Amino acid sequence: MEAPVRGRGMVAETIACAVAALVLLGSCAGAPPQPSGADPQTPGVAVPAGTGTTTPGSEPALASNAAGDQPTINIAGPPEPGAPGANAAGQPAWVPPGPADPNDPPPDGWYGNLVLKQCDSMAGGDALGTAARDLCTAVTTGEQNAWDQVDTDYAALPQPDGSSCLETAAYQVLANLVQYHRAHPGAKVATQPGANTACPLALSGIVDVAQDATALNPHVPAEGGTVLRLMGRFLAVSAVLVNGQTVAASKNAENNYDFVAPPSSAAGPVTVQAVAPDGSVLTGSAEYTYDPAEVPATPATTTEPEPPASNPADAPTESVSP
């Protein structure tokens, strides 16, 4: 009778081993190994070695470039279609509108042309302006030698200190597109327009266009009529408020708006605010000053001299003929 007992024990042991094997196999199947360089948050998208991961739609992370002296933006490949912050084609963003201040120094003049991809109008100048011009050429032509020049520019480019919002925005896009092109060699880089603005929109001063353009609080005669220019960064201005009084503004160049000072019955400073076409008042304010009205001088009263009194003795006598 011992043989049947041993048979039942062997069957039980076999079933237990089979169950344990199925449990182990199931746990292994539930966690397939990740391929080397794969983004665990974006299946099927490879991450360049040493760059970490980027969640689609999130802000790209910063790391050191090959020289280790400036940041580059890590890109794990085109964002997934429909991901937050990505368009359907997964295109990287171009530089956003500045806008440039009318009083910005000449080196910043390249930024407006960069936004419009008017590469031939960009003179270059300093290192960042030259790199931005070369980037513009590479993006618009797609030529590999142009991208090689961008790589050379970027490798020698110092990181901006953050004092200029235009320089910071241009550098960030340059770093982004250099990394993007490295991740997609041979592909023509198509960009989508940059969102928002590179610099905060605000009114910062007023100048007299016919006088010193650096004097941010000009003097205006009481009768008005002086053409004044808004200093600051704007996308559109339709009017200004002069101590609350609405005065029309006109655009004469990119981010360049003028208005005519109205007459004033009181001397002293007035506050100016810029108004957008939708009626909203932009951030910031500025001042200009009315001079006292000139009082015309009262002419001095003059008295005409009276003619001298006649003397009868001096009167001529008539000669009488006999």
Side-chain angles (χ1 to χ4, degrees), residues 102-125:
N103 204 32
D104 281 338
D108 286 338
W110 50 262
Y111 192 88
N113 292 325
L114 179 63
V115 173
L116 300 175
K117 294 183 180 176
Q118 296 176 343
C119 314
D120 294 339
S121 299
M122 299 175 64

Side-chain angles (χ1 to χ4, degrees), residues 75-104:
I75 297 181
E80 291 295 313
N87 65 0
Q91 299 165 336
W94 189 239
V95 289
D101 187 301
N103 204 32
D104 281 338

Side-chain angles (χ1 to χ4, degrees), residues 39-169:
D39 183 351
Q41 300 178 17
T42 309
V45 178
V47 181
T51 59
T53 60
T54 301
T55 303
S58 67
E59 292 297 323
L62 294 178
S64 295
N65 70 350
D69 57 358
Q70 55 192 327
T72 58
I73 298 181
N74 298 328
I75 297 181
E80 291 295 313
N87 65 0
Q91 299 165 336
W94 189 239
V95 289
D101 187 301
N103 204 32
D104 281 338
D108 286 338
W110 50 262
Y111 192 88
N113 292 325
L114 179 63
V115 173
L116 300 175
K117 294 183 180 176
Q118 296 176 343
C119 314
D120 294 339
S121 299
M122 299 175 64
D126 61 3
L128 182 57
T130 299
R133 180 196 60 196
D134 294 341
L135 175 68
C136 179
T137 301
V139 170
T140 54
T141 66
E143 297 176 356
Q144 183 57 46
N145 61 343
W147 279 107
D148 292 342
Q149 182 60 52
V150 172
D151 281 336
T152 300
D153 295 341
Y154 177 66
L157 193 63
Q159 181 178 350
D161 60 9
S163 61
S164 168
C165 47
L166 299 181
E167 291 183 357
T168 300

Side-chain angles (χ1 to χ4, degrees), residues 7-8 12 266 283 292 296 317:
R8 287 195 296 271
T283 301
T317 58

